[in-house]
Amino acid sequence: MNVDLVVAGSGFFGLTVAERCASDLGLKVLVVDRRDHIGGNAYSEPEPETGIEIHRYGAHLFHTSNERVWEYANRFTRFTGYQHRVFSTFKGRVYPLPINLGTLCSYFGRAFTPDEARALVAEQAAEVSDPSNLEEKAISLIGRPLYEAFIRGYTAKQWQTDPRDLPAEIITRLPVRYTFDNRYFNDTREGLPVDGYTAWLERMADHPDIEVRLGTDFLDLRDDVVGNVPVVYTGPLDRYFGFAEGELGWRTLDFELEVKPTGDFQGTPVMNYADEDVPYTRIHEFRHFHPERDYYPGDKTVIMREYSRFAGRGDEPYYPINTAEDRDRLLRYRTMARREDGVLFGGRLGTYQYLDMHMAIASALNMVDNRLRPHFTEGARLASGGTDE
């Protein structure tokens, strides 16, 4: 195999590694991916009937406070000035999220000053002092009324489990803003790629020393590659080892796409549905991600309903469940990974961590700096260390 490095997976982590190694280190890189497209879950494409860009695997919103990541991303795309805002429907009324002063005033039906709102939430949160499950933890943070309205039903649908049966550590904090600021993210940089995610990802892979093979399962090549060529593996960690220690638990998402005969279905990009009797968790309306695109049709729109459930072996894993059993399995897999000299494990699936896009890029840049560059320029041993945590 006439390459210097093999990267398994063409998501943001894998392509960042490939691009840096080709452009900065002068390496020949082979990128393989089981799917028929690059980009992992960030892949976007035009919906055929309307031409509206959809995110095939659910809405992806780029945001970061890491200036290195922002500078790196801007090498391949320009960003719009989009700022993400989310609303939630509960019992037939709509509220802004995350919970802020506007949410509180609307839900409780009166005007609050910031100090009055803080006092109210603190009083209601005092109901629970020693939380033992997710429900009690949430109540201890924001009080029962806000929990019942915005967290309970949504969480039950997300996890397909009663929140009283979920561990408290799943929710470490629930932000409440005591201002009317309803921006969803707090990061200093935010926007959407002007030409879409796929164009951005294709530019990252557009290098004469990068070869991309789609529809190719790395595990079919593993015996010919591992031990002969350095590898960066971004697929599921448990699958790499043939599920020898059992399966790591994930939640997955199902999507239901529909073209609606109207120019605007819900007036906002994302609407959450907090009522437990509504089967989906949220609806995306993709035209609102790019209001600057005046060529979208005025009489049609595309919506995507999102449903959450536990992942089976053949499903696309999205969010690590991270139970105590999962953490025990993960430690055993990391021990196995340390024995795989010449193989680095990274990305969301390879580390069993949920990584936003900017986090995946930052982690990949660190892997290049700390592992791959010393190996290829100084001859340092390429020891896995388990996973790139």
Side-chain angles (χ1 to χ4, degrees), residues 111-135:
F112 289 100
T113 67
D115 286 343
E116 289 171 340
R118 283 190 180 91
L120 174 67
V121 171
E123 177 186 354
Q124 294 177 343
E127 175 186 338
V128 176
S129 59
D130 187 21
S132 61
N133 57 50
L134 185 149
E135 178 170 292

mmCIF file of all heavy atoms in Angstrom, residues 111-135:
data_model
loop_
_atom_site.group_PDB
_atom_site.id
_atom_site.type_symbol
_atom_site.label_atom_id
_atom_site.label_comp_id
_atom_site.label_asym_id
_atom_site.label_seq_id
_atom_site.Cartn_x
_atom_site.Cartn_y
_atom_site.Cartn_z
ATOM 1 N N ALA A 111 -44.393 39.662 34.867
ATOM 2 C CA ALA A 111 -43.086 40.255 34.606
ATOM 3 C C ALA A 111 -42.191 40.086 35.829
ATOM 4 O O ALA A 111 -42.605 40.357 36.964
ATOM 5 C CB ALA A 111 -43.233 41.733 34.271
ATOM 6 N N PHE A 112 -40.957 39.604 35.584
ATOM 7 C CA PHE A 112 -39.971 39.436 36.652
ATOM 8 C C PHE A 112 -38.775 40.338 36.392
ATOM 9 O O PHE A 112 -38.356 40.510 35.240
ATOM 10 C CB PHE A 112 -39.441 37.996 36.697
ATOM 11 C CG PHE A 112 -40.423 36.980 37.193
ATOM 12 C CD1 PHE A 112 -41.110 36.181 36.296
ATOM 13 C CD2 PHE A 112 -40.643 36.792 38.549
ATOM 14 C CE1 PHE A 112 -42.006 35.212 36.730
ATOM 15 C CE2 PHE A 112 -41.538 35.835 39.005
ATOM 16 C CZ PHE A 112 -42.223 35.048 38.097
ATOM 17 N N THR A 113 -38.219 40.880 37.452
ATOM 18 C CA THR A 113 -36.874 41.425 37.346
ATOM 19 C C THR A 113 -35.908 40.246 37.454
ATOM 20 O O THR A 113 -36.278 39.160 37.915
ATOM 21 C CB THR A 113 -36.582 42.415 38.477
ATOM 22 O OG1 THR A 113 -36.541 41.695 39.732
ATOM 23 C CG2 THR A 113 -37.634 43.516 38.551
ATOM 24 N N PRO A 114 -34.658 40.409 37.049
ATOM 25 C CA PRO A 114 -33.697 39.315 37.204
ATOM 26 C C PRO A 114 -33.602 38.804 38.639
ATOM 27 O O PRO A 114 -33.559 37.588 38.870
ATOM 28 C CB PRO A 114 -32.383 39.935 36.729
ATOM 29 C CG PRO A 114 -32.805 40.947 35.707
ATOM 30 C CD PRO A 114 -34.081 41.529 36.264
ATOM 31 N N ASP A 115 -33.593 39.706 39.617
ATOM 32 C CA ASP A 115 -33.482 39.271 41.015
ATOM 33 C C ASP A 115 -34.725 38.490 41.452
ATOM 34 O O ASP A 115 -34.619 37.490 42.183
ATOM 35 C CB ASP A 115 -33.284 40.488 41.938
ATOM 36 C CG ASP A 115 -31.881 41.074 41.826
ATOM 37 O OD1 ASP A 115 -30.993 40.370 41.302
ATOM 38 O OD2 ASP A 115 -31.692 42.227 42.240
ATOM 39 N N GLU A 116 -35.884 38.937 41.021
ATOM 40 C CA GLU A 116 -37.115 38.211 41.380
ATOM 41 C C GLU A 116 -37.120 36.819 40.772
ATOM 42 O O GLU A 116 -37.536 35.845 41.415
ATOM 43 C CB GLU A 116 -38.327 39.004 40.895
ATOM 44 C CG GLU A 116 -38.605 40.285 41.676
ATOM 45 C CD GLU A 116 -39.670 41.142 41.023
ATOM 46 O OE1 GLU A 116 -39.917 40.966 39.808
ATOM 47 O OE2 GLU A 116 -40.257 41.977 41.723
ATOM 48 N N ALA A 117 -36.650 36.723 39.531
ATOM 49 C CA ALA A 117 -36.618 35.417 38.872
ATOM 50 C C ALA A 117 -35.631 34.482 39.565
ATOM 51 O O ALA A 117 -35.922 33.299 39.776
ATOM 52 C CB ALA A 117 -36.239 35.591 37.406
ATOM 53 N N ARG A 118 -34.466 35.009 39.945
ATOM 54 C CA ARG A 118 -33.478 34.180 40.661
ATOM 55 C C ARG A 118 -34.072 33.657 41.975
ATOM 56 O O ARG A 118 -33.892 32.497 42.339
ATOM 57 C CB ARG A 118 -32.214 34.994 40.961
ATOM 58 C CG ARG A 118 -31.299 35.198 39.779
ATOM 59 C CD ARG A 118 -29.959 35.789 40.222
ATOM 60 N NE ARG A 118 -29.078 35.997 39.100
ATOM 61 C CZ ARG A 118 -29.019 37.127 38.394
ATOM 62 N NH1 ARG A 118 -29.807 38.155 38.720
ATOM 63 N NH2 ARG A 118 -28.189 37.235 37.379
ATOM 64 N N ALA A 119 -34.752 34.530 42.677
ATOM 65 C CA ALA A 119 -35.322 34.136 43.969
ATOM 66 C C ALA A 119 -36.390 33.062 43.779
ATOM 67 O O ALA A 119 -36.464 32.104 44.563
ATOM 68 C CB ALA A 119 -35.909 35.361 44.666
ATOM 69 N N LEU A 120 -37.209 33.202 42.735
ATOM 70 C CA LEU A 120 -38.251 32.213 42.490
ATOM 71 C C LEU A 120 -37.655 30.846 42.168
ATOM 72 O O LEU A 120 -38.073 29.831 42.735
ATOM 73 C CB LEU A 120 -39.142 32.672 41.334
ATOM 74 C CG LEU A 120 -40.194 31.657 40.881
ATOM 75 C CD1 LEU A 120 -41.246 31.454 41.968
ATOM 76 C CD2 LEU A 120 -40.843 32.105 39.576
ATOM 77 N N VAL A 121 -36.682 30.816 41.269
ATOM 78 C CA VAL A 121 -36.073 29.539 40.890
ATOM 79 C C VAL A 121 -35.364 28.917 42.089
ATOM 80 O O VAL A 121 -35.459 27.702 42.331
ATOM 81 C CB VAL A 121 -35.105 29.733 39.709
ATOM 82 C CG1 VAL A 121 -34.306 28.451 39.448
ATOM 83 C CG2 VAL A 121 -35.867 30.129 38.450
ATOM 84 N N ALA A 122 -34.665 29.719 42.875
ATOM 85 C CA ALA A 122 -33.970 29.191 44.053
ATOM 86 C C ALA A 122 -34.967 28.599 45.043
ATOM 87 O O ALA A 122 -34.724 27.533 45.639
ATOM 88 C CB ALA A 122 -33.149 30.295 44.707
ATOM 89 N N GLU A 123 -36.094 29.269 45.237
ATOM 90 C CA GLU A 123 -37.114 28.765 46.164
ATOM 91 C C GLU A 123 -37.674 27.429 45.673
ATOM 92 O O GLU A 123 -37.827 26.479 46.453
ATOM 93 C CB GLU A 123 -38.238 29.794 46.290
ATOM 94 C CG GLU A 123 -39.396 29.340 47.174
ATOM 95 C CD GLU A 123 -40.548 30.332 47.161
ATOM 96 O OE1 GLU A 123 -40.401 31.423 46.552
ATOM 97 O OE2 GLU A 123 -41.604 30.017 47.741
ATOM 98 N N GLN A 124 -37.956 27.333 44.391
ATOM 99 C CA GLN A 124 -38.527 26.098 43.855
ATOM 100 C C GLN A 124 -37.499 24.975 43.814
ATOM 101 O O GLN A 124 -37.844 23.802 43.992
ATOM 102 C CB GLN A 124 -39.104 26.367 42.466
ATOM 103 C CG GLN A 124 -40.304 27.305 42.506
ATOM 104 C CD GLN A 124 -40.844 27.632 41.130
ATOM 105 O OE1 GLN A 124 -40.162 27.434 40.123
ATOM 106 N NE2 GLN A 124 -42.068 28.148 41.062
ATOM 107 N N ALA A 125 -36.235 25.314 43.589
ATOM 108 C CA ALA A 125 -35.186 24.296 43.527
ATOM 109 C C ALA A 125 -34.847 23.730 44.904
ATOM 110 O O ALA A 125 -34.288 22.630 45.003
ATOM 111 C CB ALA A 125 -33.923 24.884 42.892
ATOM 112 N N ALA A 126 -35.197 24.448 45.956
ATOM 113 C CA ALA A 126 -34.875 23.996 47.311
ATOM 114 C C ALA A 126 -35.666 22.763 47.719
ATOM 115 O O ALA A 126 -35.392 22.153 48.757
ATOM 116 C CB ALA A 126 -35.125 25.131 48.306
ATOM 117 N N GLU A 127 -36.615 22.359 46.911
ATOM 118 C CA GLU A 127 -37.428 21.176 47.205
ATOM 119 C C GLU A 127 -36.573 19.921 47.364
ATOM 120 O O GLU A 127 -36.866 19.044 48.180
ATOM 121 C CB GLU A 127 -38.449 20.957 46.094
ATOM 122 C CG GLU A 127 -39.263 19.683 46.232
ATOM 123 C CD GLU A 127 -40.166 19.435 45.025
ATOM 124 O OE1 GLU A 127 -40.494 20.395 44.302
ATOM 125 O OE2 GLU A 127 -40.534 18.267 44.815
ATOM 126 N N VAL A 128 -35.483 19.827 46.599
ATOM 127 C CA VAL A 128 -34.614 18.643 46.629
ATOM 128 C C VAL A 128 -33.205 19.075 47.025
ATOM 129 O O VAL A 128 -32.623 19.959 46.393
ATOM 130 C CB VAL A 128 -34.578 17.935 45.259
ATOM 131 C CG1 VAL A 128 -33.597 16.781 45.280
ATOM 132 C CG2 VAL A 128 -35.966 17.447 44.878
ATOM 133 N N SER A 129 -32.659 18.447 48.049
ATOM 134 C CA SER A 129 -31.311 18.802 48.512
ATOM 135 C C SER A 129 -30.296 17.711 48.264
ATOM 136 O O SER A 129 -29.098 17.978 48.206
ATOM 137 C CB SER A 129 -31.340 19.144 50.007
ATOM 138 O OG SER A 129 -31.820 18.032 50.750
ATOM 139 N N ASP A 130 -30.740 16.479 48.128
ATOM 140 C CA ASP A 130 -29.809 15.356 47.937
ATOM 141 C C ASP A 130 -30.307 14.474 46.790
ATOM 142 O O ASP A 130 -30.852 13.393 47.011
ATOM 143 C CB ASP A 130 -29.695 14.545 49.229
ATOM 144 C CG ASP A 130 -28.614 13.463 49.134
ATOM 145 O OD1 ASP A 130 -27.720 13.604 48.278
ATOM 146 O OD2 ASP A 130 -28.676 12.487 49.906
ATOM 147 N N PRO A 131 -30.128 14.925 45.543
ATOM 148 C CA PRO A 131 -30.729 14.210 44.404
ATOM 149 C C PRO A 131 -30.092 12.846 44.169
ATOM 150 O O PRO A 131 -28.873 12.686 44.286
ATOM 151 C CB PRO A 131 -30.460 15.141 43.221
ATOM 152 C CG PRO A 131 -29.279 15.958 43.623
ATOM 153 C CD PRO A 131 -29.397 16.129 45.108
ATOM 154 N N SER A 132 -30.938 11.865 43.837
ATOM 155 C CA SER A 132 -30.447 10.511 43.592
ATOM 156 C C SER A 132 -30.742 10.034 42.175
ATOM 157 O O SER A 132 -30.305 8.949 41.796
ATOM 158 C CB SER A 132 -31.074 9.527 44.590
ATOM 159 O OG SER A 132 -32.491 9.500 44.447
ATOM 160 N N ASN A 133 -31.493 10.811 41.406
ATOM 161 C CA ASN A 133 -31.758 10.441 40.017
ATOM 162 C C ASN A 133 -31.874 11.712 39.181
ATOM 163 O O ASN A 133 -31.767 12.827 39.705
ATOM 164 C CB ASN A 133 -33.026 9.588 39.906
ATOM 165 C CG ASN A 133 -34.249 10.281 40.481
ATOM 166 O OD1 ASN A 133 -34.549 11.425 40.175
ATOM 167 N ND2 ASN A 133 -34.981 9.574 41.353
ATOM 168 N N LEU A 134 -32.075 11.538 37.872
ATOM 169 C CA LEU A 134 -32.095 12.698 36.987
ATOM 170 C C LEU A 134 -33.220 13.662 37.348
ATOM 171 O O LEU A 134 -33.012 14.877 37.360
ATOM 172 C CB LEU A 134 -32.233 12.242 35.532
ATOM 173 C CG LEU A 134 -32.152 13.333 34.456
ATOM 174 C CD1 LEU A 134 -31.559 12.782 33.178
ATOM 175 C CD2 LEU A 134 -33.511 13.967 34.158
ATOM 176 N N GLU A 135 -34.406 13.132 37.631
ATOM 177 C CA GLU A 135 -35.521 14.013 37.951
ATOM 178 C C GLU A 135 -35.204 14.879 39.166
ATOM 179 O O GLU A 135 -35.400 16.097 39.149
ATOM 180 C CB GLU A 135 -36.791 13.197 38.195
ATOM 181 C CG GLU A 135 -37.976 14.078 38.579
ATOM 182 C CD GLU A 135 -39.289 13.317 38.598
ATOM 183 O OE1 GLU A 135 -39.741 12.906 37.519
ATOM 184 O OE2 GLU A 135 -39.849 13.152 39.698
#
